[in-house]
Amino acid sequence: MKLVTRQDLDTSKDLLVLGLFSDDKDYYKDLNPLIHKKVSSALKNKTFDDKLGSCVRVMADDSLYDEVLVISLGKSDKFSAENLRRALSIGVNHCKSLRIKGFTTNIAQLALRVLSARVIGLACGESCALSSYIFNKHSQKSKDNIELNEVVFSWVESKSKKVFQDNLVSGQIIGESTNFAKDLVNEPACVVNPQFLEDEAKRLAKSSLLSLKVFKKKDLEKLGLNLLLAVGKGSEVDPRMLVLDYKGASSKKIDTVLLGKGITFDTGGYNIKPTGYMFDMKSDMGGAAAVFGTIRALTFLKPKINVSFVVPLAENMVSSKAYRPSDIIKAFNGKSVEVINTDAEGRLILADALSFASKQYKGASLIDIATLTGASVIATGHVVAPMVGNNSELLNELKRAGDMSGDRVWEFPFFEDYFDWMDSDVADVANLSKKFNRSAGVIQGGVFLSKFVGDSAWVHIDIGGTAYLGEKSFYNQKYATGAGVRLFAYLLNKLN
Ligand code: BES
Ligand code: ZN
Ligand code: ZN
């Protein structure tokens, strides 16, 4: 999709999308009396209100446009980058449903009253890319959906135009990288298995800024990543671990390691999931997809930083070879782990990945991202991802990156009171709390992982609720969201 900036409103488009702050209802009075009249009457009839996203359609034969869509931006003092993303998504979604190929809009320019050109550029680029996403690989019917060709932004102020345009490009890269993650999650597990993701990593690693090391089953055995091996034992496709280094800075030092849970399908194993709970479990590699999307964004944005990525990959299946409840397994860091439930597998593969990363990348901060628990959906719904960690600076940085990017995270309590909840009678640690059962499920997952991070600064993000949606919402479609990509793109590129 082409994103274009022009001084004035392009009149060659079918559709004009206009913003309107609710504290500025007379804005179009002098500019265009017809629009003002329609907005006023819609306000009177209560078909248009102050709420962000409320719309009025204006059709006029004598106008330069076939249609004008006026979108309420809400109150200007409440306006944020996220509101901008959402407002713009309404324009894109309108085009998608009417099969219009593009539109022109003044929304970016209006936003300049409240937000900086940089923030506006990023948000507009992201929203256009995110909103126009379609997953149509496998169905004839959805192939009829046309993609948007072009969005034209009017931008009058010349001194900030370049900043806007540059950030529009960066925002589009971040949005498209998020869409890349969505594709990986939406694709079923008969396609996306550990081998497929290894091949995908090889494609990414063609960039000169990246190097990739694949730890195959034999390597895992040699190193003693027995938790990852145990979880992957029931599958035809071997478990493996990908380690990628992105080197954009001249120094050797690596400050951050991102780790993503890559369970390409989670049946639950012998603690098998009931039918209704298994269906969406192709999305259980959402953490790995977040890492892949972040890597893609870095290879385009090329920030001067060094970051590494660790992705443990396995399929949690049932077979005569699969691991069992009550198995006791020795982790990479030497701790013995009692498997109380084979469905709490994500924490097992991440435990080995985290202890590997804390040893391999001494001094670096570790951030893991995972569709770890159904409890996260109960706790915060699909709105925001819970996180816990041992370093308040890192937690705060993530909070800020989440707020700025709209890919939000929220710190959960992590009091010492919880730290013995995962104790086992027979091993050093258990993968489920026998005593506390299902209470504070997100925190239990965090406590388990904390036993494997050594001295590293560390944060765990649970995207169980945010990675995959049951219904569309603004720039998010139904199903995969690419949660984590925007969060990490903002964090690593210091866009916060
Ligand atoms: N992959 C699931 C968590 C999940 C469930 C993510 C629903 C997104 C939506 C995870 O492996 C799992 O099964 N967790 C169990 C943990 C329990 C056995 C301690 C859960 O959430 O029930
Ligand atoms: Zn599970
Ligand atoms: Zn899982």
Side-chain angles (χ1 to χ4, degrees), residues 129-347:
L130 291 169
S131 309
S132 57
Y133 176 80
I134 310 169
F135 183 68
N136 63 357
K137 280 192 198 144
H138 302 289
S139 117
Q140 269 314 327
K141 197 173 105 213
S142 59
K143 280 205 171 61
D144 297 342
N145 292 326
I146 55 150
E147 290 197 21
L148 238 65
N149 282 345
E150 192 172 75
V151 178
V152 184
F153 295 95
S154 66
W155 193 271
V156 177
E157 201 196 73
S158 58
K159 70 175 199 287
S160 57
K161 188 173 166 189
K162 186 169 170 1
V163 176
F164 170 70
Q165 280 176 315
D166 289 350
N167 284 282
L168 194 60
V169 174
S170 302
Q172 194 176 11
I173 290 169
I174 294 170
E176 284 168 355
S177 300
T178 310
N179 291 343
F180 168 62
K182 290 185 206 172
D183 267 345
L184 294 175
V185 173
N186 282 330
E187 200 67 58
C190 58
V191 177
V192 174
N193 59 24
Q195 182 63 53
F196 180 95
L197 290 176
E198 177 188 326
D199 295 341
E200 197 65 57
K202 284 180 179 150
R203 281 190 278 276
L204 282 171
K206 290 204 173 112
S207 158
S208 60
L209 297 167
L210 277 174
S211 59
L212 165 70
K213 183 149 179 31
V214 181
F215 292 82
K216 301 264 195 197
K217 189 172 166 219
K218 275 221 167 77
D219 305 311
L220 302 178
E221 283 164 355
K222 224 181 285 164
L223 285 165
L225 279 90
N226 298 317
L227 295 175
L228 175 55
L229 285 162
V231 171
K233 259 166 65 181
S235 172
E236 282 287 313
V237 187
D238 283 344
R240 64 205 75 194
M241 190 165 77
L242 312 174
V243 178
L244 292 116
D245 296 317
Y246 169 88
K247 289 233 159 76
S250 46
S251 85
K252 285 226 165 90
K253 197 167 160 274
I254 285 166
D255 295 320
T256 314
V257 183
L258 301 184
L259 304 97
K261 171 179 171 182
I263 293 291
T264 57
F265 197 79
D266 183 10
T267 63
Y270 273 97
N271 293 105
I272 200 158
K273 286 181 183 295
T275 305
Y277 291 85
M278 201 190 292
F279 192 77
D280 291 339
M281 284 300 122
K282 65 173 182 178
S283 67
D284 212 18
M285 35 59 74
V291 166
F292 275 69
T294 305
I295 296 171
R296 183 190 181 278
L298 293 184
T299 60
F300 282 92
L301 296 172
K302 302 185 178 27
K304 292 188 170 51
I305 52 168
N306 296 331
V307 202
S308 292
F309 304 89
V310 179
V311 184
L313 294 166
E315 193 183 24
N316 190 18
M317 300 295 273
V318 179
S319 92
S320 63
K321 295 203 180 105
Y323 77 138
R324 295 152 287 245
S326 83
D327 281 0
I328 297 173
I329 299 155
K330 192 166 176 185
F332 175 73
N333 72 349
K335 287 195 172 150
S336 60
V337 177
E338 182 189 11
V339 178
I340 293 183
N341 189 313
T342 58
D343 197 11
E345 83 300 334
R347 60 197 68 186

Side-chain angles (χ1 to χ4, degrees), residues 83-104:
N83 288 353
L84 175 54
R85 281 183 206 99
R86 292 181 183 196
L88 206 52
S89 77
I90 293 167
V92 176
N93 288 336
H94 187 74
C95 280
K96 269 169 131 179
S97 61
L98 294 180
R99 306 195 176 184
I100 299 171
K101 291 203 160 172
F103 64 91
T104 184

